[in-house]
Amino acid sequence: MNLKKANQTVRYTCRVFMMAGALTLMLSAAFTQEIGIGEWRDHLPYNSGRSVAGDGDRIFCATPYSIFYFDKQDNSINRITTINGLSDAGISCIRYHEGDQILVIAYQNANIDLLRGNTIINISDIKETNAVTPEEKTINSIYLLGDRVYFSCGFGMVVLDILTEEILDTWYIGPDGAHLEVLDLTGNDTSFFAATEAGVYSARMDDPNLAFFEAWSRHENLPFPMATYNHIESFSGRIFANKYSTEWDQDTIMSWDGAQWKYESAALSTGDLYTLESSGGILYAGYNYYLDAYDSGLNQVMNIWTYGTYGPRPSGVFIDREGTLWISDFSNGLVRRNGDYDYTFIHPNGPSVSGVFDMSIGGSDLWTVPGGRAPWWANLWIPGSVSSFVDSEWYTYSGSNTAALDTIPDILTVCVNPFDHKRVYAGSWFRGLLEFNNGVLENIYNHTNSSLEEHNVAGDGIVKVGGIAFDGAAHMWVTNANANNVLSVRTAAGDWQSFYLESFSSGQDLGELMIDAVGQKWILMRQDHSILVFDDNNTITNTGDDEVRLLGSAQGNGAIPGNKVFSIASDIDGEVWIGTDAGIAVFYSPENIFSGQNFDAQRILIPRNDGSGQADILFEFETINAIHVDGDNRKWIGTDRSGVFLLSSDGQEEIYHFTTENSPLLSNTITSIAINQESGEVFIGTSSGLISFKGTATEGGETNEDVYAYPNPVRPGYSGPIAIRGLVRNADVKITDIAGNVVYRCRAEGGQAIWDGRDFNGQRARSGVYLAFISNDDGSETFITKILFVN
C-alpha cells in the first residue's frame, strides 16, 4: 500500500458553559450565535462516547461521528470534526501514542488519521485498496507497541510505522492465508495474541515473517477454539480473552497462563463486555451498565454501578498521569471520576441522535426528527425522539425525559407553526400527531381526539402521519396514511375535519405534504410516479367545491419522470419542483391542474456547450431526496449519493456542489434540507448526521427592515464577505465612498447583499466610511446604511 498524506491545520473554537448538575458539574460547549458566510458548523451527538485516550493536558473522547477533547489546563471543551480537519466521519476507536505525541484515529470504513500537534495526516491506504472487499474494510481496534501501530481489521491486521507514516505490512492470518476478521490484539514480552471471529491466534514477535499465515497458530486448547473472541488483554503475566456470546449477558472471560486456558467466571462477571483494558496494574472490565476493576490477584478493587442518577454504559477507560479515571460512555459522553459517587460529565452540546429524516424551521428555531420508513414504507421501529435547536442550544425529547415517547416510534415528519414558533407538530408512522408547546409535549392527536383515523387494516390504535403543512390562514393539514379519509385539517380555531380524496387514495400510503402558492395540497404517495393534488378552494367546510386529481407519468396528466417521487417544493415564483429517482422536474403552471389547460411537469435541459447542439437532462440518473428554496429563489438539492447542490433559480447554473471529498459534508447521502431564511444558514441532514453551511441568501421583504451590515466595522486583516441584511427583496445596492464615488454595485440575494470589500478594479477598500444605497426596482423603497473600513 502506498501512503497518501494530506496535511491540514486544525483550528479549535468554542465557548464553554458550566451548569450545576446533580453530580458535581456538567460541562457543555455552546454554539456561537452565528457563523460567518461560507463557514460550516456541525450539529452532531456528543453524548455517545466510544473510545477515550489522553496526553498530559488533553483527554480525547471519540464518538461515532467526531472527536472532542477536554483541556485540563483551561477546562475547555473542543471539537475536532470534518470542519476543522478530520478526513472522515464514523470513528471506531482512538489511541494516543505518548512517546511520539500522536493521536491515532481509526474510522469504521478503515480510513486512518494521525493528529500530530495541530496537523492531521490522513492515511487512506486501507480504505482505498482493492485487495479486500468493502465489507472487510473495517478497523475494530488499535494496539500500540514501540513506534508501530497495529490495526485489527475485518480481513486481518495492518502495521503502520508512526514515525514515517507508512504502512509496513498486512497480515492475513487465517488458514492458508485466508482473510479472517481480527477484533482485538495484544502482546506480552514474547508474542502477539489476536482475538478473531474464529478463535484466538498467537505468533512470536521475533518471527521474521509475521505476514505468513503459518507464523500464527490457533489456540486449540481453548474450551471453544472456534468461537468469536472480541476482546483480548495482557495483564499480570496472563492473557485475558473474552468469548463473545449472542445471548444476553453470557460473555465469558478466560485467561491463559502460558500453558493452559481457564474460565475466570468465579472472579469476573459474565455480562456483555464492551471494554477490557489494563492500566497502572489494574484490569478494567466494562460491561453494559457497570464497570469493574481488579488487581493482579483478580480481587475486585472498584465497582461502578451508578453515576448517581445516571447509569454507566462504559465503552473505554483511560488513567491520566494524576491517576484520575476517565470513562468514555455510550450514553454520557466523557465521564471523569472524582471520587466515590462523584463524577463529572463532559461533552459539547448537540442533539442526542444523529438521524435527520425531516426538519422544520420557524424563525430561527430548528426542529428535527430521526424516524424513517423502509423502502416499502414499513415501520423501522426507530425509538421516538424530537430535537430542537433554539437559542443556539440543542435539546432532545425522548423516552428518557418525556415518558410518552417510549411508545411512539418512527417520528418522521415535523413542522413548526409559522404563525406561532413555540408550537411544533411531529408525526409518527405509528401513533399519530404530537404537539409541543413552548418545549413541552402538550397533546397527542389520534383517532380518539381528532379526525385522524386508525390504519384501516392493522387498526388497534395505529395512526400513521406522513406529512404536515400550514396554509396561509394558519390551518394545519395532515396526511393520514392507510385511512379511508387520508387528509385531515385542524383549523386555526382548533376544529378537526377529514377529507375523502376518492377511492384511489383510501387505504394508501401517503407521505410528505406541500401547499403551493394558490393553496393546493400536494401529497406524495408510495405508488409509482404518483402525486395526489387536492384543492378545497379555500372553503374547508364546503366540500361541494373540492377537487382532487391523481397525477402520474402520462402526458397530459403530470408527465412525472422516473418511478418514485421523493421530494417536493414550491418556489418564490409559485412553480412546483419535484425530486424523483430520475432527477428533477418542474410544474411551471401548477394553477392549471384543475383548469383543463396544460400543466405537465417539464425536465430541465442543460446545454452541453460542445458545439453539438445537444443538451442533458438535469440529474437524470440521480435520486433527489430533498429540495429547498432559499431567499433568492435558488434551489438546494440533496441527492442520494452525490452530495448537495445549489442551483440558480431556473436550475441552469450550478453555484455549489458539496461532497465529502471537497467539503466538510459528513456523507454524500442527503436525507433532508432546511434553511434559516433569516440568517441564510442551510442545515443539511445526511446519513451520518447534521451539518450546516452559511449561505449568502436570506428572505427579502416588501420593505427594508432592520437593515445592518456585518461585520461592521471591517477591521484590519478581515478578508471575508461583508453582508448587508434586512433588505427589500432583490434590492439594487450601490456602495460609494464618502465623496460619492461608486466603488461597487450588486443585486441583493433575496434580502441580503454581499460585498467582498473590493472596488471594481479588485482593490481592497481604503480606510474610511462607505455608504450603501439600497433601492427596489421602482425606487419606492430606499434606505442608506454606513460601513466603516479600518485598515
Side-chain angles (χ1 to χ4, degrees), residues 368 414 505:
T368 73
V414 63
S505 70

Side-chain angles (χ1 to χ4, degrees), residues 501-531:
L501 304 187
E502 305 296 343
S503 59
F504 47 70
S505 70
S506 292
Q508 298 299 310
D509 282 322
L510 290 89
E512 185 176 350
L513 167 66
M514 188 276 296
I515 302 176
D516 68 16
V518 295
Q520 297 173 145
K521 288 74 184 174
W522 297 64
I523 302 170
L524 303 191
M525 302 184 70
R526 173 186 175 183
Q527 63 193 61
D528 287 356
H529 40 252
S530 295
I531 301 175

Side-chain angles (χ1 to χ4, degrees), residues 283-517:
L283 181 66
Y284 295 89
Y287 300 89
N288 199 14
Y289 304 120
Y290 61 98
L291 175 68
D292 288 339
Y294 303 89
D295 63 17
S296 59
L298 293 189
N299 302 299
Q300 189 177 96
V301 295
M302 183 179 65
N303 168 250
I304 300 176
W305 56 272
T306 179
Y307 295 143
T309 56
Y310 301 97
R313 296 194 64 212
S315 58
V317 298
F318 172 73
I319 312 298
D320 67 16
R321 295 172 184 174
E322 291 77 34
T324 301
L325 173 63
W326 300 80
I327 305 166
S328 58
D329 190 280
F330 286 114
S331 299
N332 300 291
L334 178 63
V335 182
R336 181 177 65 199
R337 183 176 186 268
N338 307 309
D340 292 339
Y341 309 109
D342 184 8
Y343 299 88
T344 301
F345 303 94
I346 302 169
H347 59 80
N349 177 248
S352 295
V353 295
S354 64
V356 195
F357 190 77
D358 191 28
M359 295 186 281
S360 179
I361 293 180
S364 293
D365 296 351
L366 169 71
W367 289 71
T368 73
V369 290
R373 293 180 294 252
W376 53 96
W377 290 52
N379 282 87
L380 294 176
W381 308 114
I382 298 171
S385 70
V386 181
S387 295
S388 66
F389 184 53
V390 178
D391 295 331
S392 297
E393 287 287 330
W394 279 98
Y395 186 79
T396 297
Y397 304 83
S398 65
S400 64
N401 55 34
T402 307
L405 294 180
D406 265 341
T407 57
I408 306 178
D410 294 334
I411 301 175
L412 50 68
T413 184
V414 63
C415 184
V416 180
N417 185 337
F419 302 93
D420 179 1
H421 299 163
K422 298 303 178 183
R423 290 196 179 271
V424 180
Y425 297 85
S428 165
W429 199 240
F430 190 63
R431 292 297 186 196
L433 180 72
L434 289 67
E435 180 183 23
F436 291 86
N437 181 22
N438 203 25
V440 176
L441 179 57
E442 191 172 81
N443 291 300
I444 301 174
Y445 297 106
N446 52 39
H447 62 292
T448 67
N449 59 1
S450 73
S451 61
L452 297 173
E453 300 176 9
E454 288 182 299
H455 193 289
N456 64 358
V457 176
D460 194 25
I462 298 175
V463 178
K464 294 194 172 188
V465 171
I468 311 166
F470 280 83
D471 64 20
H475 306 314
M476 179 179 64
W477 297 80
V478 181
T479 61
N480 186 188
N482 301 107
N484 290 321
N485 296 351
V486 295
L487 181 64
S488 283
V489 63
R490 183 175 185 262
T491 68
D495 301 318
W496 282 90
Q497 180 180 335
S498 64
F499 296 84
Y500 176 72
L501 304 187
E502 305 296 343
S503 59
F504 47 70
S505 70
S506 292
Q508 298 299 310
D509 282 322
L510 290 89
E512 185 176 350
L513 167 66
M514 188 276 296
I515 302 176
D516 68 16

